[in-house]
Amino acid sequence: MQMRPQIQLQAVIKALSDVVLPAIDPNNKLAIEQGKLSIGLLALLAQQLPNQFRFDCDELARLIATARELVAQAKGGEGTQAAVAALYEATQLAGSTLDTAQASPAEVEAMVRAMRVTSGQLVTEVYRDGEAGCRAGIRDAVLAMSKEQLLRDRSMLLMQGWEPDPKAVPPIASLLDASAR
Amino acid sequence: MTPDKSQPSAAWIAELRARFPTEREIDRVLTRKMQRRAGPGYQPLALETLVDGVRSLLDAELSTPYELRDARWLSGGASKLQMAFTLEWQHPQDGLSCTAMVLRMEPSESIVETSRLREFQLIRAMEGVVPVPPVYWCDSEGDHLPYPALIYGFAPGVTKPSTAASGVSGLGTQLPADLRAKLAPQFVEHLAKIHTAEFRGKGLDAFDIPEVGTTQCAEWGINWWERVWEEDCDEDVPLMRLAAAWLRANLPVLDRAVVVHSDYRLGNFLFTEHDTTITAWLDWELGRIGDRHQDIAWTTSRAFGAMAEDGKTFLTSGLMPEAEFIAAYEKATGLSVNPKTVHWYKVYNDFMMATLSLATGYRTARGSKTHQDVLVTWLIGIGPMLLEEMRSLIEESI
């Protein structure tokens, strides 16, 4: 997926800064102020995006550690006991969620990139000096993988309006749900 | 080791040139792009800077007084900056004239890196063959303007009906049936004239002529675009590697060398609405001397077509069904259309377009190299649709 948020944000900020903002009527103070704020918020978003997941994991780890301490120390009547039980249960769930979130989005993206490169290199080399008998199998595997992946890529970008028959492309959420099952 | 594509080394540039031999002028332009890549991005230019550049060019080209006025920005197109102006001057044939003109200039790096010299020569060569805008001067190295540019005359007409809706670059335009009926015959006739025109002796020295009876034409083409993929891509795509291998394994032999427009479609010609006459063919920058099947494959691409009112009939370039288009073309040219070669060029064209959108589109926007990075970024999104078309075409060939 080449169309990632970072490149989109960079391009939008540049268009707003270089073209749109200078063209606003200098007497329209409200539009100028909101234009600048829009650029500022987009710049903040661009800065936050790469760190947002790790930020949330970091906070969740801290909350879990604190919750365990709270559960251990809290003593009292029915109300307190019920709250301890609820926090204990939430902590167990949060702990297992954090355990399964060990790879960050940046690490997953890096692996996607690496797998794309090394798979592509294999295709090139098989067609250069590989045994002719294995080429059909390599070709079919790449075509089959590409069919599934491109369906998801196209679905992710559906709102741009490139598809001649948009109804033929399922929503991205349903495709990802199907993959997860 | 992965090369740093934002700051390419001289050794890597030399390696790419050796790996992907292509036409001399294409090689020159791509090499220049890579040598300048580490330089600054595009900085917004004042209109006055362009006016000064045009004056410098005119001072070098004209020996009689002139007056330049009414300079203004033009929108349209994803790859070049355009400024309209009026020139009062001594026209070589018409005498004192007031001529509406357009400056077409590259940004720092373009989503389509091409040669202004080739564009200039090809439009000149096509004068009298098909309607083209008059071209006047070329600043092929950016000696006068901030970047390479050419100046051409304003042609009357519109690219789509005033009432029609379409996406960027004229993609997805829907034309009413009566308009299609009048434009389609001209569309075919002009393509036939381009493909049957004599190009030798027309000053096309920025073009190399591929050898008929060999696969050189197709090889130059795939070398061109695979080189650009290597130079520009960020995320690799295994399907692109498979497609490159498939194209090389199935190279077609050139049976006749002709002028190829390379972007022949609805949206790239002007027509006057009062008489529905095509007045100018635009965007010759990707033109080459090559195989007519490249244009036929391009024109019939799904990306440039549209459905008819019945919702079932797919119209080539939004104008006519593909079978009708091919039959009319063969009749007008007397040349046969080889479906296998068209199929190869469809894969080739998708490979080229996917390269432009996914690789060059990303690279230029990432380097802040154009005057409209936001549009270039938007166009990255067409990549998966093009890849799917290419994938289906390769699958069909099995």
Side-chain angles (χ1 to χ4, degrees):
Chain A
M1 173 52 73
Q2 187 69 75
M3 183 75 115
R4 293 184 183 276
Q6 290 296 348
I7 188 69
Q8 294 177 53
L9 286 167
Q10 179 187 322
V12 170
I13 290 168
K14 183 162 176 257
L16 290 172
S17 306
D18 290 356
V19 181
V20 179
L21 204 56
I24 295 176
D25 177 359
N27 295 316
N28 192 336
K29 303 295 182 199
L30 184 65
I32 290 174
E33 183 182 80
Q34 295 205 3
K36 287 179 178 172
L37 283 169
S38 299
I39 293 169
L41 279 172
L42 288 170
L44 179 63
L45 180 58
Q47 190 186 61
Q48 280 184 337
L49 261 181
N51 295 316
Q52 188 66 55
F53 181 79
R54 283 195 300 154
F55 185 95
D56 289 336
C57 287
D58 178 72
E59 182 181 3
L60 186 56
R62 193 167 297 102
L63 284 166
I64 290 168
T66 306
R68 287 183 177 137
E69 201 176 323
L70 296 177
V71 166
Q73 292 190 19
K75 305 276 189 285
E78 275 183 18
T80 300
Q81 286 174 33
V84 165
L87 183 56
Y88 178 81
E89 191 179 343
T91 304
Q92 294 296 101
L93 195 57
S96 65
T97 299
L98 191 60
D99 286 344
T100 57
Q102 289 306 305
S104 73
E107 288 168 325
V108 173
E109 184 187 327
M111 284 301 107
V112 165
R113 287 169 174 270
M115 293 300 289
R116 281 169 170 260
V117 170
T118 48
S119 301
Q121 282 169 344
L122 177 83
V123 171
T124 301
E125 291 307 315
V126 161
Y127 272 83
R128 193 178 64 81
D129 71 354
E131 288 180 19
C134 74
R135 284 180 192 155
I138 298 284
R139 177 199 65 203
D140 292 348
V142 172
L143 289 175
M145 179 275 285
S146 301
K147 185 176 185 178
E148 286 300 315
Q149 186 54 44
L150 286 170
L151 185 63
R152 285 152 180 79
D153 290 353
R154 290 156 57 211
S155 179
M156 194 85 154
L157 300 168
L158 200 55
M159 67 159 282
Q160 276 196 292
W162 303 116
E163 291 295 327
D165 183 11
K167 290 193 184 86
V169 181
I172 186 62
S174 68
L175 288 168
L176 295 178
D177 284 348
S179 298
R181 276 197 289 273
Chain B
M1 194 174 136
T2 308
D4 182 351
K5 296 186 179 183
S6 299
Q7 301 193 50
S9 67
W12 188 53
I13 296 171
E15 184 206 320
L16 290 174
R17 295 182 69 193
R19 265 173 71 194
F20 300 109
T22 188
E23 289 184 70
R24 287 164 298 163
E25 178 69 0
I26 301 294
D27 172 48
R28 189 186 70 80
V29 167
L30 295 180
T31 303
R32 182 185 66 188
K33 171 190 81 172
M34 296 303 279
Q35 288 168 340
R36 293 180 177 180
R37 174 159 289 167
Y42 173 80
Q43 296 296 320
L45 292 167
L47 203 58
E48 200 52 41
T49 304
L50 297 194
V51 170
D52 290 346
V54 171
R55 286 205 174 101
S56 169
L57 177 60
L58 294 176
D59 288 345
E61 296 282 350
L62 296 176
S63 55
T64 51
Y66 64 85
E67 191 186 333
L68 189 164
R69 51 185 156 79
D70 303 332
R72 62 200 183 278
W73 292 111
L74 278 182
S75 68
S79 64
K80 307 292 176 287
L81 290 103
Q82 300 197 103
M83 177 186 82
F85 62 95
T86 303
L87 188 68
E88 199 173 303
W89 62 309
Q90 284 290 337
H91 190 285
Q93 281 84 45
D94 304 338
L96 185 63
S97 303
C98 210
T99 311
M101 295 190 177
V102 176
L103 169 75
R104 180 170 151 85
M105 187 181 76
E106 301 171 10
S108 175
E109 207 173 303
S110 171
I111 188 171
V112 189
E113 198 71 21
T114 50
S115 160
R116 299 288 64 71
L117 182 61
R118 279 168 72 103
E119 186 177 8
F120 183 79
Q121 289 183 354
L122 194 53
I123 297 175
R124 273 270 162 96
M126 287 295 107
E127 282 176 1
V129 176
V130 290
V132 288
V135 278
Y136 294 106
W137 303 285
C138 181
D139 181 15
S140 62
E141 290 302 309
D143 295 330
H144 302 278
L145 285 139
Y147 305 105
L150 59 84
I151 293 173
Y152 62 94
F154 224 98
V158 293
T159 55
K160 61 183 180 184
S162 317
T163 53
S166 73
V168 290
S169 289
L171 304 180
T173 302
Q174 304 278 344
L175 296 180
D178 59 334
L179 193 56
R180 297 201 300 263
K182 289 174 184 164
L183 287 175
Q186 299 173 67
F187 185 85
V188 175
E189 180 197 336
H190 290 168
L191 186 60
K193 283 184 174 173
I194 293 168
H195 287 177
T196 53
E198 178 54 68
F199 58 82
R200 290 174 178 83
K202 291 285 189 84
L204 295 173
D205 59 17
F207 295 79
D208 293 335
I209 304 172
E211 199 175 336
V212 171
T214 73
T215 57
Q216 187 179 48
C217 175
E219 278 178 88
W220 280 351
I222 187 62
N223 281 345
W224 176 358
W225 294 109
E226 200 175 356
R227 173 172 165 180
V228 174
W229 178 260
E230 290 286 355
E231 290 170 344
D232 296 348
C233 88
D234 173 47
E235 293 189 20
D236 211 328
V237 178
L239 182 64
M240 288 292 279
R241 302 296 176 183
L242 179 69
W246 183 91
L247 286 164
R248 290 186 188 284
N250 295 280
L251 293 168
V253 172
L254 181 67
D255 65 352
R256 178 189 172 103
V258 304
V259 168
V260 176
H261 181 283
S262 299
D263 198 2
Y264 197 89
R265 62 178 172 86
L266 184 65
N268 272 343
F269 63 80
L270 297 173
F271 66 96
T272 39
E273 289 186 285
H274 67 280
D275 58 359
T276 324
T277 299
I278 294 178
T279 54
W281 277 95
L282 311 171
D283 279 1
W284 293 82
E285 64 176 311
L286 284 165
R288 61 190 293 222
I289 296 171
D291 193 321
R292 64 186 180 281
H293 295 91
Q294 182 179 335
D295 271 341
I296 294 164
W298 182 269
T299 300
T300 54
S301 164
R302 287 192 69 79
F304 305 133
M307 295 302 260
E309 291 78 0
D310 63 7
K312 296 175 196 161
T313 312
F314 189 76
L315 302 172
T316 287
S317 216
L319 289 168
M320 61 204 297
E322 183 171 328
E324 271 180 42
F325 167 74
I326 299 289
Y329 171 85
E330 287 186 324
K331 188 177 174 192
T333 57
L335 299 170
S336 62
V337 173
N338 182 334
K340 201 174 169 190
T341 308
V342 171
H343 186 92
W344 189 92
Y345 273 106
K346 282 191 174 186
V347 176
Y348 168 87
N349 287 336
D350 281 335
F351 187 90
M352 173 175 71
M353 285 191 285
T355 296
L356 292 176
S357 64
L358 289 169
T360 311
Y362 171 83
R363 186 65 52 190
T364 51
R366 194 65 187 156
S368 299
K369 295 286 189 178
T370 84
H371 57 302
Q372 44 186 3
D373 289 347
V374 70
L375 173 57
V376 168
T377 301
W378 179 260
L379 291 173
I380 295 172
I382 200 173
M385 192 274 278
L386 296 167
L387 288 177
E388 172 55 23
E389 183 177 75
M390 186 172 77
R391 191 202 64 76
S392 302
L393 287 165
I394 294 173
E395 200 169 63
E396 279 171 28
S397 73
I398 298 171

